[in-house]
Amino acid sequence: MNKISRHPLSSLGYKFIDPKYLPEGADEYYLRNKQNRSTTLFRNLSASELEQLVRNHNQADNWNNVLVSDAFNPDLVKNCKFFGLIRIGKLEPFFLEYHNLRMPVGLYNSTIISCDIGDNVVIDNVNYLSHYILGDEVVLVNVNEMSTTSHAKFGNGIVKEGESEDVRIWLELCNENGGRKVAPFSGMLPGDAWMWSRYRTDKDFQSKLLTFTQNEFDVKRGYYGKVGDRCIIKNTLIIKDVWIGSDAYIKGANKLKNLTIHSTADASTQVGEGCELVNGIISEGCTLFYGVKAVRFLMAAQSQLKYGARLINSYLGSNATISCCEVLNSLIFPSHEQHHNNSFLCAALVQGQSNMAAGATVGSNHNSRGADGEIIAGRGFWPGLCVSLKHNSRLATFTIVAKGDYPAELDIPIPFSLLSNDVTHDELIVMPAYWFQYNLYALSRNAWKYKARDKRIEKFQRLEFDFLAPDSMVEVLNSIAVLETLCGKAYYAKHLPEQVVSNQSIRQKGEELLSSKDPQVKDLDIFANGWENSKRKIRLIKVVEAYTLFKQLIQYYPVYCLSEYYTKADLSNEDFIMDLTSNLPAPDEWINVGGQLVPKLSMDQLIADVKEGEINSWNELHDRYKILGNEYAEAKTKHAFAIAFSDRGIASSDFDKGQLQEMLEQSKSFRQSMSEKIYTSRKKDYDNSFRNMVYADEEERDLVLGALEDNGFIQTEKEECQKFIQQINDYLNSLDL
């Protein structure tokens, strides 16, 4: 039976805060007065104003509690019912227009309970408006219910005074069993969510983060909902416990409950038709429309949900788009694309710059007795058409997965690889360095595209979009040793199968074969172990090509960093070179903290500072992100030299100008070859007869697709290549050898 209680009509709009939660000497409006920052001076109605309001068929439980500004116009208030304390700002005889919606300023045909109303607001046919503070030029049209409860948390994972812990909202990220859950909060960055979802055994650290969140907000009861200036809300059914920033546009939504919707004049947020959003935080510049369903979620700045997408128990990073499909229990870093109705993502950590094709079901199968699996995919993850991956799996950066149902868990350590499923021979095929061999156009264009599309207003975290970065290059360095060992094993397995050979000899043989590009490598069956949880073989192909490219990348990488971050460097200054190349740490692991790459040592220090009280709030932690971001260029460049020295097997003290000159000279030819590969990998599409057969001739093809030579990215790339070469020439001239 529904429990319906009865109260005197005279109490409607009053006692919003239970008296036991009121501080001594405070009334129920003390927080409301704190929230309302308007400088308007309110007064009681004049006798003539009251007479006009009654003549216009308005009602109030107590007209003495309807306060107005000096610029109030009673002619613009009709057919309204008022309960509780009402404060109304300026009303002038204008109409407001937005996207062809033209509505006269004023209050019409609405029930309004205990609200503050800004200047020149439109409220028309709002059946129930309760405990809201409205900014200036807000338009509310055709809203069924819009209310705030005294214990509203606006989507934040906090507990108000008098509440039990079990009411706290959690996001169960990365794992369906809730073991990596985090409490969301307004302003939560991808790095915050990642950090909190990891380090689970460090109880002190976990406790500190929860304390940060709880302390971020006042736990007192009685805060009103707010609608910022110039917001438009129309044709919407239910809005409950929602805080809305300025310039938001909400139209045709079904239900919005327990939300913070950030929006600004420079980054407006839009919520469209059929949306049902519960227990979430939406950052500035986001777009949600056409039947989106989201529950227990957080959307970072400039992200999109559309066309019936379902986002549940998940964090969606900035500049990301999800359409049509379903995403559950996932932590998604910035620049993720997922557009197709039949794709599915569950219990995954996707570390950014990712793109899921139609039919991809990542995390569709649990390979244990419970729903407790996880998938970790490095930056640049790209599962192709109808890919099915199983929990638990871990994939290196820039892994592309070809169409297929992958029958077992995967652990792929080599970056830039193409995985394919050879059903005929029952083998998993791994092609390292695939992107550099066959699709450098897409790899380079995506890095350029993601950077150009980063529309965040406040860039607390310095996101890395380049494919040449500390995370991927550490994997490249480690992969060289892996390829040498696997090649050596394959050689001895074929030629000396009975001989016992040391690991050192195996790797030395592999290095000898791969460095010399020995033709016999092509006749070797090179297999890996432990990369798939199955008994079938894991075959590596194009190993010589991958090895050669990886070695070239490692020597090119520090020069590339110099050109990016030290464009005006004078290499004749020995102190400058010494500063970048001496006393280098080992090429240790770097961590992808929500799209920002951080040295593991810096991450360890950050955690220690949180535990020891050096960092005492999320704001202070975000300031640390900024510091690390400011240090990134130098740290990345030093790390690049450390990787190059490690690969060469030399100490930094042995590095001289002659070796630097050699690296600079080699970088020019390698950069030129990359530019040519970018062009030729795209040119293949124009030379393909099967692609051309749908056009009458090349002229029509170029009109439809755009001519290859007019491709904006290719033109930009050629210019950048020439700039790089000129810059290296300047470096060489400054060396003064």
Side-chain angles (χ1 to χ4, degrees):
M1 182 175 69
N2 292 336
K3 183 179 179 181
I4 299 176
S5 56
R6 290 183 293 182
H7 305 277
L9 183 61
S10 59
S11 67
L12 180 58
Y14 304 97
K15 297 182 180 179
F16 183 58
I17 306 175
D18 191 310
K20 68 182 179 182
Y21 296 116
L22 280 173
E24 186 177 350
D27 62 20
E28 66 169 299
Y29 306 120
Y30 81 104
L31 290 177
R32 170 181 175 179
N33 293 334
K34 176 182 174 182
Q35 284 181 275
N36 191 341
R37 300 172 184 173
S38 171
T39 58
T40 300
L41 297 177
F42 294 99
R43 59 173 175 80
N44 290 109
L45 294 164
S46 68
S48 61
E49 288 171 336
L50 176 54
E51 181 181 358
Q52 183 63 46
L53 288 171
V54 173
R55 189 180 298 121
N56 288 348
H57 305 288
N58 297 292
Q59 304 174 36
D61 69 309
N62 185 344
W63 284 111
N64 289 326
N65 286 335
V66 178
L67 306 180
V68 298
S69 72
D70 284 338
F72 174 73
N73 185 340
D75 292 333
L76 305 181
V77 181
K78 299 177 181 179
N79 300 318
C80 290
K81 298 177 182 179
F82 299 103
F83 299 90
L85 176 63
I86 305 293
R87 295 187 286 214
I88 304 172
K90 181 191 302 182
L91 293 180
E92 298 177 299
F94 299 116
F95 72 85
L96 304 183
E97 181 177 5
Y98 183 79
H99 290 185
N100 294 322
L101 174 70
R102 299 178 177 182
M103 299 297 296
V105 165
L107 284 56
Y108 309 100
N109 312 306
S110 301
T111 297
I112 302 172
I113 301 170
S114 194
C115 290
D116 288 347
I117 298 168
D119 292 341
N120 290 323
V121 164
V122 175
I123 301 177
D124 195 342
N125 197 29
V126 178
N127 295 336
Y128 186 84
L129 175 61
S130 172
H131 297 94
Y132 261 90
I133 298 172
L134 308 181
D136 297 338
E137 296 188 334
V138 168
V139 177
L140 305 181
V141 180
N142 299 332
V143 178
N144 278 15
E145 176 187 344
M146 186 169 176
S147 63
T148 305
T149 61
S150 65
H151 55 273
K153 291 169 276 292
F154 307 113
N156 294 295
I158 60 172
V159 175
K160 290 284 188 175
E161 57 183 344
E163 292 184 326
S164 61
E165 179 64 29
D166 59 7
V167 304
R168 191 188 300 274
I169 296 296
W170 294 93
L171 304 186
E172 297 178 355
L173 304 178
C174 302
N175 197 308
E176 289 181 88
N177 72 358
R180 296 194 185 277
K181 65 182 180 181
V182 305
F185 60 90
S186 180
M188 188 181 214
L189 299 175
D192 304 334
W194 175 85
M195 192 184 313
W196 200 343
S197 70
R198 304 287 129 177
Y199 307 103
R200 305 307 284 191
T201 60
D202 193 333
K203 302 299 183 184
D204 290 342
F205 181 62
Q206 294 288 318
S207 176
K208 285 279 190 178
L209 298 184
L210 183 58
T211 301
F212 287 179
T213 300
Q214 187 65 28
N215 292 344
E216 192 81 6
F217 306 94
D218 191 345
V219 299
K220 294 184 177 66
R221 294 174 180 240
Y223 282 96
Y224 279 36
K226 292 190 73 173
V227 179
D229 296 343
R230 299 175 300 279
C231 284
I232 313 295
I233 304 176
K234 66 178 185 179
N235 306 324
T236 293
L237 297 180
I238 298 172
I239 299 176
K240 186 173 183 179
D241 291 349
V242 180
W243 186 99
I244 304 171
S246 72
D247 301 277
Y249 182 31
I250 299 172
K251 58 175 180 174
N254 289 344
K255 183 175 184 178
L256 308 178
K257 181 179 178 182
N258 192 26
L259 305 171
T260 290
I261 301 176
H262 289 283
S263 183
T264 68
D266 296 324
S268 173
T269 290
Q270 298 187 22
V271 179
E273 294 83 353
C275 291
E276 296 172 8
L277 314 174
V278 179
N279 298 337
I281 295 169
I282 301 167
S283 300
E284 64 278 2
C286 290
T287 304
L288 307 89
F289 55 87
Y290 299 148
V292 163
K293 317 295 180 188
V295 181
R296 293 180 183 252
F297 69 101
L298 198 150
M299 295 175 64
Q302 303 290 340
S303 56
Q304 297 185 64
L305 283 179
K306 52 189 180 180
Y307 306 130
R310 282 89 71 205
L311 183 71
I312 300 169
N313 261 317
S314 295
Y315 185 110
L316 180 62
S318 56
N319 307 305
T321 301
I322 292 179
S323 302
C324 311
C325 59
E326 185 172 7
V327 175
L328 309 173
N329 303 93
S330 293
L331 172 52
I332 302 171
F333 288 2
S335 302
H336 173 78
E337 302 287 333
Q338 190 170 347
H339 297 145
H340 305 283
N341 190 49
N342 52 350
S343 63
F344 176 72
L345 181 64
C346 181
L349 169 62
V350 182
Q351 296 181 300
Q353 297 165 255
S354 39
N355 195 324
M356 288 184 59
T361 52
V362 175
S364 58
N365 261 348
H366 292 284
N367 285 0
S368 71
R369 277 76 180 167
D372 56 4
E374 301 181 28
I375 285 177
I376 299 176
R379 282 194 308 132
F381 175 53
W382 198 324
L385 293 169
C386 299
V387 161
S388 175
L389 297 179
K390 306 298 187 290
H391 293 108
N392 291 340
S393 289
R394 181 173 58 179
L395 304 164
T397 54
F398 297 95
T399 297
I400 181 170
V401 188
K403 177 179 179 179
D405 183 0
Y406 292 79
E409 304 94 324
L410 298 171
D411 188 7
I412 307 299
I414 298 186
F416 304 108
S417 291
L418 168 66
L419 308 186
S420 54
N421 213 5
D422 187 344
V423 178
T424 303
H425 300 98
D426 193 27
E427 292 181 345
L428 174 66
I429 308 297
V430 180
M431 185 193 300
Y434 159 80
W435 293 101
F436 297 97
Q437 298 181 64
Y438 294 103
N439 202 351
L440 193 53
Y441 174 85
L443 185 66
S444 299
R445 182 180 177 275
N446 283 346
W448 168 78
K449 175 183 73 175
Y450 292 133
K451 186 175 182 180
R453 292 181 181 177
D454 184 10
K455 303 300 183 183
R456 294 173 298 152
I457 302 298
E458 295 183 291
K459 299 184 179 181
F460 291 103
Q461 292 197 263
R462 178 169 179 168
L463 303 180
E464 176 62 272
F465 299 114
D466 206 311
F467 54 87
L468 298 180
D471 58 343
S472 58
M473 294 307 295
V474 166
E475 291 177 343
V476 167
L477 178 64
N478 294 337
S479 295
I480 286 175
V482 171
L483 295 178
E484 289 171 348
T485 300
L486 294 180
C487 182
K489 283 183 177 180
Y491 174 84
Y492 284 112
K494 180 175 182 178
H495 297 288
L496 299 167
E498 303 299 327
Q499 184 173 331
V500 177
V501 186
S502 68
N503 291 334
Q504 181 179 0
S505 297
I506 288 172
R507 183 176 171 185
Q508 285 177 345
K509 187 61 180 179
E511 180 183 9
E512 174 191 325
L513 293 170
L514 293 173
S515 297
S516 63
K517 301 181 183 180
D518 195 313
Q520 64 179 314
V521 175
K522 294 185 178 181
D523 297 326
L524 298 177
D525 291 320
I526 301 177
F527 297 114
N529 293 313
W531 295 7
E532 183 179 63
N533 187 20
S534 72
K535 295 182 179 179
R536 68 174 180 167
K537 293 179 178 178
I538 304 159
R539 182 184 296 273
L540 276 71
I541 61 174
K542 303 282 185 179
V543 175
V544 172
E545 293 85 346
Y547 182 84
T548 302
L549 280 164
F550 282 170
K551 297 285 276 190
Q552 291 173 332
L553 278 174
I554 282 179
Q555 298 306 312
Y556 168 76
Y557 181 44
V559 178
Y560 173 73
C561 290
L562 276 177
S563 71
E564 284 286 298
Y565 305 121
Y566 300 93
T567 54
K568 302 299 183 183
D570 180 5
L571 300 193
S572 63
N573 184 344
E574 294 185 1
D575 290 338
F576 171 75
I577 297 299
M578 184 175 296
D579 182 57
L580 281 179
T581 61
S582 61
N583 300 317
L584 299 178
D588 291 328
E589 177 186 0
W590 281 53
I591 299 174
N592 188 340
V593 183
Q596 178 174 0
L597 301 184
V598 175
K600 185 178 183 301
L601 292 175
S602 298
M603 189 69 221
D604 293 342
Q605 185 61 54
L606 185 153
I607 293 171
D609 288 346
V610 168
K611 293 164 64 175
E612 294 169 9
E614 295 294 324
I615 296 175
N616 290 298
S617 69
W618 286 115
N619 285 336
E620 290 181 12
L621 198 149
H622 294 171
D623 288 340
R624 179 64 62 86
Y625 290 155
K626 288 183 178 179
I627 292 171
L628 292 170
N630 292 335
E631 296 172 350
Y632 181 66
E634 181 178 352
K636 178 179 177 180
T637 306
K638 287 188 172 185
H639 183 254
F641 277 104
I643 285 179
F645 295 164
S646 176
D647 181 58
R648 288 191 173 197
I650 64 171
S652 58
S653 57
D654 296 332
F655 187 67
D656 56 28
K657 284 188 176 182
Q659 291 172 309
L660 178 58
Q661 181 186 29
E662 180 186 353
M663 291 177 70
L664 293 171
E665 291 287 3
Q666 290 176 349
S667 72
K668 289 195 298 181
S669 58
F670 185 71
R671 182 67 179 83
Q672 184 65 51
S673 69
M674 285 182 63
S675 185
E676 292 168 0
K677 285 182 179 179
I678 289 170
Y679 177 82
T680 56
S681 62
R682 180 58 173 149
K683 188 173 183 295
K684 291 176 185 177
D685 296 330
Y686 285 78
D687 294 339
N688 188 318
S689 59
F690 283 86
R691 288 179 59 86
N692 288 330
M693 69 183 178
V694 297
Y695 308 108
D697 49 35
E698 291 184 3
E699 182 180 3
E700 183 184 68
R701 178 201 64 193
D702 290 348
L703 284 172
V704 174
L705 300 181
L708 177 61
E709 299 303 328
D710 294 336
N711 183 297
F713 171 68
I714 288 179
Q715 290 179 343
T716 300
E717 159 56 29
K718 288 181 177 179
E719 292 172 3
E720 292 298 319
C721 179
Q722 292 307 311
K723 286 181 183 178
F724 176 87
I725 292 173
Q726 181 57 53
Q727 193 170 341
I728 302 306
N729 286 334
D730 292 342
Y731 286 160
L732 288 167
N733 291 334
S734 71
L735 270 177
D736 192 29
L737 286 174

